[in-house]
Structure formats: structure tokens, C-alpha cells
Amino acid sequence: MARTVLITGAAGGIGRAMVAATLVAGHRVAALDRDEAGLAALAAAHPGATLAPIVADLSTVEGCAAGIDAAVARYGAVEAVVNNAGIGVSSLRPDAETRIPTIDELDAATWDRFFAINVRAPMLLVRAALPMMRAAGWGRVVNNTTSFRTMLRVLPYGATKAALESASAIWADELKESGITVNVLIPGGPTDTPFIGPGASWPREQMLRPAIMGPPLAWLLSEDARGITGQRITAGRWDSAAPEAPAAMRPIGWPELGADAVWLAAR
């Protein structure tokens, strides 16, 4: 069944792969990005597709509202939200991926911008889409976070993605009886897109390909994944022949650490 899928960061490397896979799966796509030229190129790559390029600045509350409003105006409702847009440390300087910024390089404006785009925008978009999903008794939320290693190494990016990881786990539990699933989908390592700055020392040919994100996303949007929620999928390990294999899927976040509270133990 065709659904309306809102994908953020749609004009970027991973976003383009997600859009392509979603269209091939037969869905309608509301493609949000701040890059107007990138969106035009995306539309040109899919002539005749049910694709709505929407220019949206997700760093602002108003931009998030305008983006989802435009999607609803075009398609009538949003049934799935794919939170892929993000800002990384390469935006601070070209070699920041391998020469990680220290706290001395951060200021309030930088911190706030990272959290606005990487954490607040996903919350606002999901919140706006929830009434439509609840009315349909069906919905999908897919959040692109990052590796646990990056969460523990890279500021402010890692902190924002740890926050989104936490939010994803909470939303999945909150919505588990609603027909709305919430899952995390990550590549599994550095991916060859402009998100990684030109000053990074990693060989591009050894990086993951953005196309690996397409098949698991299409599966999560399908009826085959209707019972899958609260899961973290690593696209680099995903096998379409065994989509639920433990090698690629585990619970979101750190549930194994959730029982260590002294207060809980005392009870």
C-alpha cells in the first residue's frame, strides 16, 4: 500500500538513497531540505515520480512547521517520518571528523544549532505527524542517529545523537500499542557523502556507500515490518534475506543498563 513518507535531509547523500528506495517501494515522498538546488537535482533524477521537493530550514521552529504543512498540503497527510537531516562537525571545519573539536572550540550558538537540527526538529516533526498517524492507526518513525562510538567521542554531534537515541526508545515504548512503530537506522560507520568533510583522513573508497540505507528503510516502511518497533538497525550489516537477524538489529539505546538504578534495586 502506498504511503506518504516525509524524509528530511533528502537532498544529501544518504537522503537521496532513502528517497530513491522509498519511491521504488511505491510510496509518495515529501522531500525536505534547506538546499533548493539539491532538491531540484533530486526531482530531476526522478522525473514523473510522486515526489514533492520542499525547501525547509529545520533549524527553526517555524521552518519545521512550514515543512510539514507543505507536505500535508500536497498529499493530505503524513504517515511516516524519516528523520535523516543532521548537522555534523565538518560544518565547523573541514578536518573536524578526524581532528575532533574540543570544548574550547564550542560556544552557545554552535551547541544550540546542533541540538535544534539534530534533536528538536525530529521531535517537532514527529509531534506534528502523530495525530495523522493515530487517525490512520498506522505510522512509521525512522531516526538516523549514529554509532555508540561516535556518541562517546564527538561533540556536539555525538551528544545530539545520544539524545535522539534516547527519544527514539521512549517514543517506541509510548506508541507501542498505537500501530505506530519507531526505529533507528544507521549506516554503521563513516559514509561517503559530503557530510564527511574534505579534510577527513579516511580513504573515501573504504567508506560505506549511502545506498546501503535504502533497502532497510524500504523494509521498515513495509507491512512486513509492522511488528518491528524499538529496534536499532545497522544498515552495513543488514541482510534482506534475514531482516531481523541479531547481527544487524538490537534494541534502541542501552536497555541492558536500565536496571542499575539504586532506587529500583531497593524496591
Side-chain angles (χ1 to χ4, degrees):
M1 180 178 178
R3 304 287 186 177
T4 297
V5 182
L6 184 150
I7 300 177
T8 69
I14 287 176
R16 290 196 302 270
M18 288 178 156
V19 168
T22 303
L23 290 172
V24 167
H27 302 298
R28 300 171 291 270
V29 175
L32 272 61
D33 205 290
R34 65 177 183 174
D35 181 358
E36 188 170 1
L39 285 174
L42 179 69
H46 300 282
T50 313
L51 170 66
I54 298 169
V55 178
D57 180 2
L58 301 183
S59 70
T60 70
V61 174
E62 296 78 13
C64 291
I68 198 159
D69 286 349
V72 173
R74 176 67 179 270
Y75 294 126
V78 168
E79 298 162 286
V81 176
V82 180
N83 286 304
N84 168 65
I87 182 173
V89 289
S90 291
S91 67
L92 303 179
R93 49 182 167 79
D95 64 346
E97 296 285 353
T98 48
R99 192 167 65 85
I100 297 168
T102 65
I103 191 170
D104 302 296
E105 297 179 67
L106 304 178
D107 56 26
T110 300
W111 192 264
D112 289 347
R113 180 168 174 77
F114 270 72
F115 271 86
I117 296 171
N118 294 359
V119 185
R120 187 179 67 191
M123 181 275 293
L124 291 173
L125 294 172
V126 170
R127 184 175 183 271
L130 272 178
M132 294 175 275
M133 295 181 185
R134 285 190 171 114
W138 190 99
R140 298 285 190 271
V141 176
V142 180
N143 294 327
N144 185 353
T145 65
T146 193
S147 67
F148 294 135
R149 181 172 183 267
T150 299
M151 292 180 195
L152 296 174
R153 290 178 63 247
V154 184
L155 285 178
Y157 178 74
T160 66
K161 293 301 186 176
L164 185 57
E165 186 86 14
S166 170
S168 301
I170 293 166
W171 295 343
D173 186 63
E174 179 182 340
L175 299 169
K176 62 186 176 185
E177 305 298 334
S178 67
I180 302 165
T181 66
V182 182
N183 293 286
V184 164
L185 175 61
I186 65 167
T191 307
D192 186 17
T193 75
F195 191 85
I196 304 293
S201 61
W202 305 310
R204 290 274 170 181
E205 68 277 7
Q206 294 179 15
M207 292 184 188
L208 298 171
R209 304 295 100 185
I212 64 173
M213 296 287 275
L217 174 62
W219 178 72
L220 284 171
L221 296 173
S222 75
E223 295 305 316
D224 291 340
R226 60 187 173 274
I228 305 300
T229 194
Q231 298 299 304
R232 173 185 174 88
I233 295 173
T234 302
R237 297 195 182 104
W238 194 77
D239 180 358
S240 60
E244 298 179 57
M249 185 182 295
R250 57 154 287 155
I252 294 173
W254 315 268
E256 66 275 14
L257 304 179
D260 68 346
V262 172
W263 181 82
L264 289 176
R267 293 171 67 89

